[in-house]
Amino acid sequence: MKLIKQLGVDMSALPCDREPIYNKLFSILKVRVEERSGAAVTEGIGDFTLTFRLDDTMADEAFEIISAENGVQIKGRDFNALMFGMGQLLHKSTYSDAGMTVTSWRG
């Protein structure tokens, strides 16, 4: 597992302009990661990128964490699903003053 010093967050597929609640995903993630580790969280593509995607074929509040090129993707049907997925990712990852290590758990 790779130590991450800069976590990029790609929210380009979310309807942040129409539904501002999706902006909370970034702000919550930034606070949680930066208070627990030496990693910086930025919008856009980073050394390691967390991408959020909506998938209306999934069940209500269902999420999936999958490996993606240079990072991971959290897919979910709605805001709650993406929050649950982000919570799982944060819970399973490890943190240090040097950065964070994202969990290898996928599912």
Side-chain angles (χ1 to χ4, degrees):
M1 291 191 276
K2 175 182 170 184
L3 181 67
I4 300 162
K5 295 182 180 182
Q6 193 253 336
L7 175 65
V9 181
D10 180 3
M11 298 180 47
S12 61
L14 299 180
C16 296
D17 291 338
R18 288 181 319 208
E19 298 180 51
I21 192 166
Y22 286 99
N23 291 314
K24 289 186 176 192
L25 292 167
F26 177 79
S27 59
I28 292 169
L29 181 68
K30 182 173 177 65
V31 168
R32 295 295 179 258
V33 169
E34 291 181 353
E35 75 185 5
R36 296 175 184 180
S37 74
V41 178
T42 59
E43 289 189 64
I45 306 302
D47 298 335
F48 186 93
T49 302
L50 169 59
T51 304
F52 288 102
R53 296 268 186 257
L54 292 173
D55 183 344
D56 62 2
T57 65
M58 298 178 80
D60 288 346
E61 300 184 351
F63 68 87
E64 183 177 20
I65 300 174
I66 57 176
S67 294
E69 186 177 336
N70 200 34
V72 295
Q73 181 180 102
I74 299 176
K75 291 191 327 180
R77 182 176 179 94
D78 54 21
F79 174 79
N80 287 342
L82 296 176
M83 279 292 293
F84 294 146
M86 184 175 72
Q88 178 75 4
L89 186 83
L90 289 170
H91 179 72
K92 297 287 186 180
S93 296
T94 57
Y95 307 90
S96 71
D97 290 340
M100 72 180 286
T101 304
V102 172
T103 179
S104 61
W105 185 90
R106 302 292 182 262

